Amino acid sequence: MKKILLFIFMLCFTQLANAQYHLEWDEHAYLEIPDPPFNGYVAHATWNVNNSNLTFKEADEAGAIIYPNHYFEGTSIVTCNYRYEYYRNGRYQTGTSVVSYSITFKSKEAVLDKSEISLALGKTETIKASFPGVSSIFGSPKMTWKSSDEDIVSVSSNTGATNWSAKIKAVSSGKATITFDPVIGPPKTCVVNVAYIAPSQAKLTPNPLNVTVGKTKRLDISYSPEGASAKKVTWESSNTNIATVSTSGVVKGIAEGKTIVTATTDNGTKATTEVNVVPLPSSVSLPNSLTIYAGYSKTLIPSVIPTNSETSFTWKSSDTSVATISAGKITGKKSGSATITVTTENDKTSVCEVTIKSTPIELNSKNANNRANVIETIVKRSLNNN
């Protein structure tokens, strides 16, 4: 009975080990699977890591090579579930085990020369990073700079291991945070305040705005003088039975008709636009037939009913080896026939039977002469410039 229990224990035995590694960016570590008991060997291994900032270079039954590809906080755990086999008491036997490894990041701290900046509109300034006590950085980590709001403060900088400075520019009034990601250590930030300029005028675009029933379109608001901005904008539709508007200026068509949308800034500046809610088409039509020559193109323009309806179109050719279609433009490829189908966004369709004919000799000759004349003109112009 004791032998049976021992066999079951060895068959299901799970070993939990814990090895710790403290790695710099891109520094590799070899994670070794412990030797199985009784001179056994690892038959199968499955490796897992709970952090996307850690990358396996190799991972198999022999072990794994892992490295950090970006700074991370805390401890990440790598686990290996493996099955091993061994020969004992005259028979081959199997066991399973789990081993875990703790990985922490050995960071290099960056320091910014500025933690907060106040800029006047249109002015620029440079932010510099340094790594005290660091004489060199292994590899080429892609250090980056980013603005939390490019409409307020723009940032220009290249990505790379020596990218330790960034030029910022005040675009409009407000506050933005510039973040430096050194990859080899935690990110660092600098807050930039751009002097507030209240708007004296505001403008909505497009004006007027057409939107179909059940669809949405966004209104954009701009201010003057240059660099002005609003801390808060409220939106209102004069008739919500026709169209509604969200807190971010997204207009939704409810029913056919007209309404006025008004945007009001926190200092009382107003801008308006007329909104026309139009229907989707009840039908669409194309010419019944069309003939063009191979190598030539012609554009089809669908007709819709009612005429004030709006829609997007999708196009399809039954034989693209004969004729292709793109945004309504048909191009003849070779002699033959093809059916061109247009479909509206509410699935109304129409077809046009297109016949492609061989290009007459006189047209080919004319095209050749035209091309020769163009080339001759280019050559003469080039010679004159020299």
Side-chain angles (χ1 to χ4, degrees):
M1 183 64 180
K2 288 184 178 180
K3 290 184 177 180
I4 295 175
L5 291 175
L6 178 63
F7 173 73
I8 294 174
F9 173 75
M10 292 304 303
L11 185 67
C12 304
F13 172 64
T14 297
Q15 174 190 4
L16 184 60
N18 194 306
Q20 296 183 348
Y21 297 86
H22 193 43
L23 302 177
E24 295 182 3
W25 175 82
D26 208 35
E27 182 181 7
H28 294 68
Y30 177 65
L31 311 182
E32 184 178 6
I33 299 176
D35 291 333
F38 311 117
N39 295 319
Y41 68 94
V42 178
H44 179 75
T46 302
W47 293 86
N48 294 285
V49 61
N50 64 346
N51 191 334
S52 61
N53 293 318
L54 286 169
T55 301
F56 286 114
K57 189 172 183 181
E58 293 183 18
D60 54 27
E61 289 77 17
I65 298 175
I66 198 166
Y67 65 93
N69 56 58
H70 194 281
Y71 167 81
F72 61 88
E73 295 182 353
T75 301
S76 292
I77 304 298
V78 178
T79 58
C80 177
N81 293 269
Y82 63 96
R83 174 174 54 84
Y84 59 89
E85 296 180 0
Y86 59 95
Y87 188 80
R88 185 172 173 78
N89 297 328
R91 61 188 297 179
Y92 282 100
Q93 302 182 47
T94 298
T96 60
S97 187
V98 178
V99 61
S100 66
Y101 312 81
S102 299
I103 313 290
T104 55
F105 194 95
K106 189 191 301 181
S107 67
K108 290 182 170 68
E109 292 282 332
V111 175
L112 301 186
D113 64 343
K114 303 174 182 71
S115 60
E116 188 166 0
I117 303 173
S118 293
L119 284 180
L121 183 68
K123 297 298 182 179
T124 62
E125 191 155 340
T126 299
I127 306 174
K128 295 181 180 180
S130 61
F131 295 88
V134 176
S135 58
S136 64
I137 295 176
F138 174 77
S140 300
K142 294 184 178 180
M143 303 179 184
T144 59
W145 296 83
K146 185 178 181 181
S147 171
S148 62
D149 193 334
E150 288 276 345
D151 292 331
I152 295 176
V153 180
S154 63
V155 59
S156 57
S157 173
N158 295 321
T159 299
T162 58
N163 185 34
W164 293 6
S165 65
K167 185 177 181 180
I168 63 171
K169 181 177 181 180
V171 179
S172 64
S173 59
K175 179 186 288 188
T177 300
I178 305 300
T179 301
F180 173 59
D181 182 359
V183 179
I184 60 175
K188 301 296 179 178
T189 60
C190 175
V191 176
V192 181
N193 297 288
V194 182
Y196 177 70
I197 301 175
S200 59
Q201 290 183 315
K203 180 181 179 182
L204 293 178
T205 53
N207 190 355
L209 170 72
N210 288 349
V211 62
T212 53
V213 175
K215 301 293 182 179
T216 61
K217 284 186 179 179
R218 180 181 295 276
L219 286 168
D220 292 319
I221 187 168
S222 57
Y223 309 101
S224 59
E226 184 180 359
S229 63
K231 296 179 181 179
K232 183 179 180 181
V233 179
T234 56
W235 298 82
E236 183 181 11
S237 169
S238 62
N239 190 339
T240 55
N241 292 323
I242 300 297
T244 60
V245 60
S246 73
T247 56
S248 59
V250 176
V251 177
K252 181 177 182 179
I254 304 299
E256 292 181 48
K258 297 180 184 292
T259 186
I260 300 296
V261 167
T262 301
T264 306
T265 68
D266 52 288
N267 73 332
T269 302
K270 294 180 182 292
T272 62
T273 187
E274 182 180 78
V275 174
N276 301 308
V277 181
V278 296
L280 288 166
S282 58
S283 66
V284 61
S285 61
L286 294 173
N288 292 330
S289 61
L290 180 67
T291 300
I292 59 176
Y293 293 113
Y296 285 76
S297 299
K298 189 166 184 179
T299 299
L300 288 173
I301 301 176
S303 298
V304 293
I305 295 176
T307 55
N308 70 328
S309 61
E310 281 194 0
T311 184
S312 59
F313 300 104
T314 55
W315 298 85
K316 183 179 180 181
S317 170
S318 64
D319 192 339
T320 55
S321 68
V322 174
T324 59
I325 182 77
S326 177
K329 183 179 180 181
I330 304 172
T331 301
K333 295 297 184 180
K334 68 177 183 180
S335 299
S337 60
T339 300
I340 302 299
T341 303
V342 64
T343 304
T344 67
E345 61 184 274
N346 61 332
D347 296 326
K348 306 299 180 181
T349 62
S350 182
V351 298
C352 176
E353 301 298 332
V354 177
T355 301
I356 309 300
K357 292 186 176 182
S358 299
T359 309
I361 295 177
E362 58 269 22
L363 283 180
N364 280 333
S365 299
K366 183 178 179 181
N367 285 338
N369 290 333
N370 288 340
R371 286 193 293 270
N373 290 334
V374 171
I375 293 172
E376 183 180 1
T377 300
I378 295 173
V379 171
K380 287 181 179 178
R381 189 179 299 161
S382 177
L383 291 174
N384 292 334
N385 291 337
N386 294 332

